[in-house]
Amino acid sequence: MSGNRSTPAVDGLDEALDVTPSRFLHGIYAFFYNKAVGLVLILITGVLSLIGVLVPQLPAGIADNPEQEQQWLDSVQQVTGGWTPVLEAVGFFKMFSSIPFLVVLALLALSIIACTCHRIPVLWQAARNPHTRVTARFFDHARLRTRFGTTTPAAEAFATILADARRHRMRVIVDDRGPGHNAYLDRHAWAPFGTVFAHAAFVVIMVGFVVSSYTGFRDDQFTLTIGYPKAVGHGTTLVAEAKGFQDSYYADGSPSDYVADILLRDGDQEVARQEVRVNSPLSYQGVMFHQAYFGVAAVLTVTDATGGVVLDGGIPLEWSSQDKTLNYGHVTLPDGRELYVAGSASGQVGTGIEPGQVRVEVHSPDQQTPIVGKVIDMNVPTEVDSYTVTFQREQQFTGMIVRRDPGTGIVWTGFGLLVLGTCVTMFLRHQRMWVRVMEEGGLTVVRMGSPDQRDSAFTSFFTDMVERVSSKTGTHERNSDD
């Protein structure tokens, strides 16, 4: 027995594994273009979206404020109960920007891309090199079919049919393989590519959604006290100031119009100024300022124990107490504590806060009960804990929605592709027809058929074409199911 002879593997386990990069990538590609995978991902996306609709979502304006976020979670706990920490941990309160939702969205986008790429060569082949040869059995079972005889020679009848097809903008491909004279006719050969545009649209819309989620922002409670500049924040260098505010009312007291004169600076440079109404926002470099609400602010000056000014501006009283008797607002002081300011709501008396007064409270970040609280008079410096607070006056404030949505253009592009794809698919259907003309028993027999689904437009076209060519060739007998 030779020592150089090797024994072949019986079960193949000793053979080298084919783990080349191309084979690995093809396996991933095959996984994603699997229809079952796509359906499962669509189902998961639908379930997560439904959860996002049913479960309260954290308002965008407080997502970057831990204190306001905790207050919102405390209010939601009345509905979600003991499940609140669990729902927060898995991201259900921020569903549409949560990692699970974005991962599933990315997998669904990959599935759509894979399915589309897998389908494009098939559509291309069908459009460029359609199947032109059919059997005799096809003409007996096609959804739309006709058969008629004529005394016109086969070549002449065939030429008449092709001429009629070309006049009606049909593509004509002659198949010379027999039997008889054969041709393939169609219109809108590229219409099936409408599905490619529609599939691409979904991916583009997803991309726009993700771009907006990660690079955009929305602040629903951006308040400006009239005459006091405020940084916009959210990664911008913009500073906004309300130079003026006007409001008008109907006879029943409801507001008919309110408009803020907004000045926008970038550093030391004035970059925009506009009167902003509800339906007339100010826009600068993709940042939009929408007028939303208005009210009264308390203008305060707050100094610390060293006499340093820690606050000089307005605190909008934009919140209402549970009994609606007080309006209040708050601001975070440099030491992390919260300064709350409250005043009597319009028309309310007996609150302990008279006109020309406000109540000021200092709270620790983790406590609801104030460390100290006092009612202070206008223009009277008052010690509140370690601060000296002076209530200067009341002033109007305007509440705005400030947002930047860089994915908007991408999303609109996606919707445009979706409309284009849908219109092409619905209104420019690929219409196909096969024709066979041959001599049988001294007559020329014409057979025409189409396997396409019946629709009124194509059925009418097929019927009219049969009537035209049969009348031109002189029908001897006819048997059709059109």
Side-chain angles (χ1 to χ4, degrees), residues 246-299:
Q246 294 180 353
D247 52 310
S248 55
Y249 299 84
Y250 293 110
D252 61 0
S254 60
S256 60
D257 187 28
Y258 44 99
V259 54
D261 180 10
I262 302 299
L263 173 66
L264 197 61
R265 294 186 178 90
D266 192 347
D268 296 330
Q269 183 179 4
E270 180 180 326
V271 293
R273 185 168 183 174
Q274 179 181 320
E275 289 189 343
V276 178
R277 288 180 166 84
V278 174
N279 295 318
S280 180
L282 167 63
S283 176
Y284 175 73
Q285 293 186 347
V287 181
M288 306 285 289
F289 295 79
H290 298 262
Q291 179 67 54
Y293 58 100
F294 61 93
V296 175
V299 178

Side-chain angles (χ1 to χ4, degrees), residues 8 18 41 43 59 75 105 140 148 206 253 272 286 388 462 464 477:
D18 185 1
L41 290 173
L43 178 62
S75 66
L105 210 61
D140 295 329
F148 63 88
M206 291 179 192
T388 299
F462 185 91
D464 291 344
E477 60 175 327

